[in-house]
């Protein structure tokens, strides 16, 4: 199940953002990871990543470290969101 960004440990004191993104197959997962690599190189920001054949788990930490999530981190999360394929409609329609 795909999720939105989740602040951890608490929304009002977020030290990191986490998100899981699921894909239909390995090709889609790999394509996303390649786009994420390009974005990360462009911005000089690198999330923590773990992945499997059809999913990617991301963790964003603030830069510099030891701070709380701020607007720059939220902008990076939004840029990652823009790379995600649109989810199919819940009713299965076009």
């Amino acid at each position: 199940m795909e999720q939105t960004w989740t602040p951890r440990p608490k929304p009002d004191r977020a030290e990191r953002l986490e998100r899981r993104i699921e894909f239909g197959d390995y090709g889609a997962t790999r394509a996303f990871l390649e786009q994420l690599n390009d974005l990360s190189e462009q911005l000089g920001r690198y999330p923590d990543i773990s992945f499997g054949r059809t999913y990617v788990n991301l963790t964003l930490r603030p830069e510099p470290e030891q701070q709380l999530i701020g607007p720059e981190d939220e902008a990076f999360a939004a840029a990652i969101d823009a790379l995600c394929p649109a989810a199919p409609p819940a009713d299965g329609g076009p």
Side-chain angles (χ1 to χ4, degrees):
M1 174 168 79
E2 187 170 319
Q3 58 180 237
T4 59
W5 291 101
T6 303
R8 302 276 190 222
K10 298 177 182 177
D12 60 336
R13 300 234 353 121
E15 297 171 5
R16 66 188 182 276
L17 297 174
E18 298 175 345
R19 180 168 184 204
R20 180 182 180 98
I21 304 166
E22 296 187 357
F23 301 91
D25 57 35
Y26 177 73
T29 304
R30 183 177 172 147
F32 171 80
L33 289 170
E34 289 174 1
Q35 291 178 321
L36 179 59
N37 176 65
D38 292 344
L39 176 67
S40 293
E41 291 290 330
Q42 178 185 10
L43 299 178
R45 295 278 315 261
Y46 302 91
D48 294 338
I49 302 169
S50 65
F51 65 95
R53 186 173 49 89
T54 59
Y55 69 90
V56 175
N57 292 323
L58 299 169
T59 301
L60 300 183
R61 300 179 191 282
E63 293 183 7
E65 292 185 34
Q66 308 303 327
Q67 296 199 10
L68 299 178
I69 292 294
E72 301 86 10
D73 308 300
E74 291 170 359
F76 185 37
I80 293 171
D81 289 345
L83 301 177
C84 296
D91 64 3

